[in-house]
Amino acid sequence: MISSITRPGGVSRRGAVHVRRATARDAKRLTRLVRTSSAYEGHYAAMVAGYRVGPDYIETHRVFAAVETGTDRLLGFYSLVLSPPELDLMFVADDAQGLGIGRLLIGHLRGEAGRAGLSGVRVVSHPPAEGFYRSMGALRTGMSAARPPAVMWDRPELLLPVGAPGEATDPGRGADPREG
């Protein structure tokens, strides 16, 4: 759990945060988070323009949401596919960037993957997010070629070790408000 964090100017951005399993009722909020992500502006916008995280996707995959305790405000989410092991989706709300939400989600993902017996998780990264994943201990393994018309650019492929040295697998530990 992360305590409230104060941004410059003294404005508290949120209270405590916890990660919970997403439900079908979260589908619209998850879809909105994907479609409005500033990480997918400009030439990346086409990739998420019609993207939908549907109730069926949430019910058949391991989708977890980081939410503000007490308000259930969505701050980010991820989806873990077990076979083959891959981080399918991960998004953090624009106004929650830099508050440790990404680090919290990666810690939670590592815990889930470890409980499932995985030693590593493949990440095909949005190019601007590669640095974040590498800061979490992911190792670059290659490039995933563009697949027009859905994906018009090559993307870094990484392997995120589940038991990386120095990284917490407990979702309540290791969340640095300056990261993620």
Side-chain angles (χ1 to χ4, degrees):
M1 207 180 283
I2 300 175
S3 302
S4 67
I5 296 170
T6 304
R7 290 247 174 152
V11 179
S12 178
R13 296 299 294 185
R14 61 181 168 69
V17 174
H18 68 278
V19 176
R20 64 164 174 78
R21 187 78 184 244
T23 67
R25 291 181 311 193
D26 293 315
K28 287 182 182 177
R29 294 191 307 158
L30 299 180
T31 296
R32 189 175 323 117
L33 182 59
V34 169
R35 289 184 183 176
T36 62
S37 173
S38 64
Y40 284 87
E41 292 177 338
H43 71 282
Y44 295 120
M47 186 172 173
V48 297
Y51 202 90
R52 180 177 168 270
V53 181
D56 53 334
Y57 179 88
I58 294 168
E59 290 172 358
T60 58
H61 292 84
R62 291 178 184 236
V63 181
F64 292 89
V67 295
E68 187 175 39
T69 303
T71 67
D72 205 44
R73 180 173 154 245
L74 179 66
L75 301 170
F77 78 97
Y78 77 89
S79 174
L80 173 64
V81 174
L82 296 180
S83 184
E86 183 171 356
L87 174 62
D88 191 36
L89 298 169
M90 184 168 160
F91 284 84
V92 173
D94 288 346
D95 66 346
Q97 295 280 326
L99 298 177
I101 303 303
R103 182 175 292 275
L104 177 70
L105 290 170
I106 291 293
H108 190 274
L109 176 142
R110 281 192 162 119
E112 284 295 310
R115 284 185 285 283
L118 304 176
S119 61
V121 175
R122 178 179 180 242
V123 177
V124 179
S125 177
H126 178 51
E130 180 182 9
F132 166 74
Y133 291 114
R134 290 177 65 125
S135 77
M136 295 291 99
L139 306 169
R140 188 180 235 211
T141 58
M143 290 294 284
S144 181
R147 293 184 336 236
V151 180
M152 302 300 288
W153 56 89
D154 294 346
R155 296 170 294 158
E157 279 192 35
L158 305 113
L159 179 66
L160 180 69
V162 169
E167 286 297 322
T169 56
D170 175 351
R173 292 185 16 225
D176 181 343
R178 297 165 297 171
E179 306 266 347

